[in-house]
Amino acid sequence: MISVRGSGVVGLCVATALHEAGHEIEVIAPEHSTPPASWLAGGMLAPFCEGESAPEVIVTRGQSAVDWWAAHVPDVVRRGTLVLAAPRDAGELDRFARATRGHDWVVPEALEPAVSGRFARGLFFATEAHLDPRAALTALRMRLLAAGVAFCDAPARGRVVDCTGIAARTALSDLRAVRGEMLELHAPDVALTRSIRLLHPRFPVYIVPRAAGRYMVGATMVESDDAGGITARAVMELLSAAYTVHPGFAEGEVITTAAGLRPSFPNNLPAIRHVGDVIHVNGMYRHGFLMAPALALDLVSVLAKEPAHAH
């Protein structure tokens, strides 16, 4: 028996990979626990865009995430990522182009007519995708339950795999929190069909379309372990960026605001760590949906080399 602690994106990807590899598993997930940080994520599967600041391993290994998610959950939207910059920040677009690959220069309104007349040029990363994190995590959970995997609030037994994110700081001394803030808008007058990244020297923002006229706008990156609500500054900056992309957002209804703590190691790369008899899969930083499938498959390989513990 393998007990997987945590039911965020890492825990559910790990549980899925272990079950598919033939292991007997259970998921330790208290019913009334705080929602995981991944519940607030943008859900962008954008390895090439992340290459602007992330190491090459994120770009290389993250490319498999789109196919993995599409094979396991419905409604993965494969329409690429459109990267834009306001005219005053045109230099940011050139810098982003130099720092990344996998893109083409485009006339933005040819892809998204809704931004017509607002941007002269943009970068299009055609192979990227996005999903709705809450819908995807719910689908993974339902898939596991249908396969007979138990979700329970009980002491772990057998081999323990801890996927509890920032809650594992007591065992992982170098794990730190990186705060992210987001809001969700209902803006039926806006018609965007793919993820949009708006570049800015100080607060780059992304806008991710969801169903029924909803849009997720995020995300600040603050070196802080403050788990409080979203700040007024963040709300103003996120709304300002959304308005820059489309003035229709000004008439939208703010339906959700939230802040979460991303678990991060010093190098901002996820890792599998052994601490005593517990295996930790942690440190996703801002790459949870992009890298969790790859780390889950790595864990399957790790356990395959430990037959005495894997069974």
Side-chain angles (χ1 to χ4, degrees), residues 65-236:
V66 176
D67 288 340
W68 191 93
W69 283 106
H72 290 86
V73 304
D75 302 324
V76 173
V77 181
R78 297 176 182 253
R79 290 186 58 80
T81 304
L82 180 60
V83 180
L84 304 172
R88 65 180 180 277
D89 300 320
E92 286 295 300
L93 203 57
D94 294 318
R95 179 196 58 78
F96 199 90
R98 292 192 299 269
T100 58
R101 56 189 172 88
H103 56 68
D104 294 303
W105 287 100
V106 296
V107 177
E109 63 191 59
L111 294 174
E112 294 289 349
V115 303
S116 177
R118 302 183 69 81
F119 303 95
R121 60 183 185 144
L123 293 168
F124 182 49
F125 295 78
T127 62
E128 297 185 339
H130 71 269
L131 50 74
D132 183 330
R134 298 187 185 191
L137 295 181
T138 300
L140 275 191
R141 183 186 179 104
M142 292 299 101
R143 182 187 179 105
L144 287 165
L145 286 169
V149 174
F151 283 69
C152 56
D153 184 4
R157 48 193 180 134
R159 193 66 159 134
V160 178
V161 179
D162 189 287
C163 306
T164 55
I166 202 65
R169 278 189 292 188
T170 55
L172 301 170
S173 60
D174 59 343
L175 193 68
R176 78 187 196 284
V178 177
R179 177 180 163 92
E181 297 168 298
M182 58 78 74
L183 56 83
E184 191 173 20
L185 294 164
H186 179 237
D189 294 335
V190 180
L192 299 173
T193 66
R194 53 177 54 82
S195 297
I196 306 289
R197 292 196 183 219
L198 181 69
L199 304 181
H200 185 279
R202 189 164 59 85
F203 55 93
V205 167
Y206 52 77
I207 300 171
V208 186
R210 304 266 169 89
R214 295 181 298 117
Y215 295 87
M216 185 274 193
V217 186
T220 57
M221 298 287 291
V222 181
E223 293 286 339
S224 170
D225 60 3
D226 179 4
I230 191 170
T231 64
R233 177 192 297 273
V235 171
M236 290 187 291

